[in-house]
Amino acid sequence: HSTHLRRTHLHSCPPLGLESLRVLDSQLRSSSDKRYGLGAHRGRLNIQSGLYDGDFYDGGWCAGHEDKEQWLEIDARRLTNFTGVITQGLNSIWTYDWVTSYKVQVSNDSRAWQPCRNGSREAVFPGNKDPETPVLNLLPAPVVARYIRINPQTWFPNGTICLRAEILGCPVPDPNNIYYWPSDPIPTDELDFRHHNYDEMRKLMRRVSQECPDITRVYSIGRSYLGLKMYVMEISDHPGRHEVGEPEFRYVAGMHGNEVLGRELLLNLMEYLCREYRRGNPRVVRLVTETRIHLLPSMNPDGYETAYKLGSELAGWAMGRWTYEGIDLNHNFADLNTALWDAEDNDLVPDQFPNHYIPIPEYYTFANATVSPVAPPQ
């Protein structure tokens, strides 16, 4: 029962915002740093390393000494009900470093510190087993304080003390306004710019279609492995009709299910085109009347839902990237260019080979086919 209560409490206390950058660099301190590019400001969940040897910044905080007195400190700037800690190891292409166990300490003034206890004993939390998989530890009981420290106790034997972190906690009401906490900015953009899961995505597309029924049509190109429809928004002055000579354009997003920016930009593009067309924006009116536009915001809905259910704090970089069957759609498109150019070289276009519509080759439809730009089987 107590475990259930703690999990319920977790859902009501969101991340403070190390990953999202709501927590500023100035709110992060550490006992020591290996170098500035591995300082406390780099100890953010899911932060990435540089790609090249000698890059100044790397993917995490690393202590300058190897002992049990090292710590990463977060200043919440006001009294906060801390409920949990999420950690990862260092993201690096050169080394393997992660913390295997740690303690948690809290303070109201950053001078007097109290350990997080499990009953009468000081709690020691299990850390990571690899660099990337996030590990969540709920505190035995929520603790109210302003500051919190992660104090590594053990680390990967062949590495050193390095970690990335996120803190879970709820701000405590402060009627006297003793502590400064910047309020969330109020959005002024009319577009619905936020993460949309599958159901919310469908609702947005339906709403846009209802706002602009004369220029929109929602259709599906099929279902995913788990049965989720892959919806497309068509925007045109004659939706549903192929007009000879009118160019058709398609944007596809969400091939990697856990990469959400393209998905949200296409949803916003639907809203924008609809509203600007109704306002008479000349550029948008010309696009809609002279082009047939197709927007597919989520080509891998199974992957998105997998990552969405865990949340960015617990989903590693690969969670939801591929389809449910493990296929990377970004590298799995039919290579129709080769077929077209071969036909061009042999003077088969357009009498024997069309240049406006190329059917998917039969060998791409085999049950065990994985599409790649290679020659068809002989």
Side-chain angles (χ1 to χ4, degrees):
H1 180 67
S2 61
T3 300
H4 172 71
L5 288 178
R6 289 201 301 271
R7 291 188 181 278
T8 301
H9 190 84
L10 165 67
H11 293 307
S12 64
C13 285
L16 292 188
L18 276 78
E19 180 185 18
S20 67
L21 303 182
R22 178 175 177 176
V23 172
L24 305 178
D25 287 353
S26 59
Q27 294 173 248
L28 303 176
R29 293 200 312 138
S30 60
S31 53
S32 63
D33 303 328
K34 197 169 183 179
R35 56 182 171 82
Y36 181 77
L38 289 167
H41 60 292
R42 302 293 293 173
R44 301 174 179 275
L45 197 73
N46 287 320
I47 201 167
Q48 301 296 299
S49 68
L51 296 177
Y52 305 104
D53 191 10
D55 278 354
F56 189 66
Y57 294 100
D58 220 337
W61 162 67
C62 289
H65 308 286
E66 290 189 17
D67 58 52
K68 295 184 179 182
E69 303 304 318
Q70 305 305 306
W71 43 262
L72 177 67
E73 177 185 309
I74 298 92
D75 176 7
R77 288 189 170 175
R78 64 168 296 168
L79 291 179
T80 300
N81 197 28
F82 295 116
T83 61
V85 175
I86 303 172
T87 59
Q88 284 173 306
L90 176 73
N91 177 265
S92 175
I93 61 174
W94 305 111
T95 63
Y96 295 94
D97 303 288
W98 59 84
V99 169
T100 55
S101 69
Y102 61 89
K103 295 180 180 179
V104 172
Q105 302 159 350
V106 295
S107 172
N108 288 329
D109 58 12
S110 78
R111 293 186 293 273
W113 292 87
Q114 296 294 326
C116 181
R117 296 186 179 277
N118 191 355
S120 60
R121 296 183 177 182
E122 192 169 350
V124 178
F125 299 93
N128 299 88
K129 297 181 179 180
D130 61 62
E132 291 299 330
T133 306
V135 173
L136 163 67
N137 280 298
L138 299 180
L139 304 186
V143 180
V144 175
R146 171 175 170 173
Y147 301 88
I148 186 169
R149 280 181 177 177
I150 302 172
N151 172 214
Q153 296 296 294
T154 58
W155 44 93
F156 180 52
N158 295 329
T160 188
I161 300 174
C162 297
L163 61 82
R164 293 172 285 169
E166 180 64 89
I167 304 296
L168 305 179
C170 299
V172 174
D174 182 18
N176 297 322
N177 198 29
I178 297 174
Y179 296 103
Y180 166 71
W181 187 263
S183 58
D184 291 332
I186 299 175
T188 58
D189 200 315
E190 296 180 358
L191 302 180
D192 186 14
F193 191 70
R194 60 187 176 88
H195 285 201
H196 295 79
N197 65 12
Y198 182 74
D199 290 335
E200 291 170 336
M201 179 187 73
R202 290 195 307 172
K203 291 177 183 177
L204 185 148
M205 295 178 73
R206 185 184 307 118
R207 174 168 53 79
V208 171
S209 185
Q210 291 171 347
E211 286 183 18
C212 295
D214 296 335
I215 63 167
T216 62
R217 178 176 71 103
V218 177
Y219 64 94
S220 171
I221 63 170
R223 292 180 181 270
S224 68
Y225 183 85
L226 295 180
L228 301 179
K229 287 185 177 181
M230 289 177 280
Y231 289 106
V232 180
M233 170 73 75
E234 178 190 347
I235 301 177
S236 170
D237 58 340
H238 296 101
R241 185 194 308 175
H242 174 73
E243 298 181 72
V244 177
E246 181 172 90
E248 301 201 25
F249 180 85
R250 179 186 66 206
Y251 261 144
V252 175
M255 287 179 282
H256 292 157
N258 62 355
E259 295 177 359
V260 301
L261 182 59
R263 173 193 187 104
E264 300 306 329
L265 288 176
L266 286 196
L267 293 177
N268 286 163
L269 182 57
M270 298 173 193
E271 294 181 298
Y272 177 82
L273 292 176
C274 168
R275 293 174 185 177
E276 291 302 303
Y277 180 84
R278 293 175 62 189
R279 290 171 178 165
N281 183 320
R283 186 180 185 191
V284 172
V285 170
R286 182 180 177 186
L287 280 173
V288 172
T289 56
E290 298 183 11
T291 312
R292 192 181 182 199
I293 303 168
H294 304 264
L295 305 177
L296 170 58
S298 183
M299 192 174 182
N300 182 6
D302 294 349
Y304 182 92
E305 292 301 296
T306 299
Y308 173 83
K309 289 174 183 177
L310 282 178
S312 64
E313 297 82 24
L314 292 178
W317 72 271
M319 183 63 67
R321 178 181 176 89
W322 299 288
T323 68
Y324 187 83
E325 299 171 284
I327 295 174
D328 187 342
L329 294 180
N330 191 43
H331 301 282
N332 202 242
F333 275 92
D335 174 30
L336 302 181
N337 288 329
T338 299
L340 177 59
W341 286 113
D342 285 347
E344 288 278 4
D345 291 342
N346 292 297
D347 296 324
L348 301 178
V349 176
D351 297 331
Q352 300 181 45
F353 195 95
N355 63 0
H356 64 283
Y357 170 73
I358 304 174
I360 299 295
E362 182 181 355
Y363 56 87
Y364 284 152
T365 65
F366 295 161
N368 61 346
T370 296
V371 179
S372 58
V374 296
Q378 302 299 320

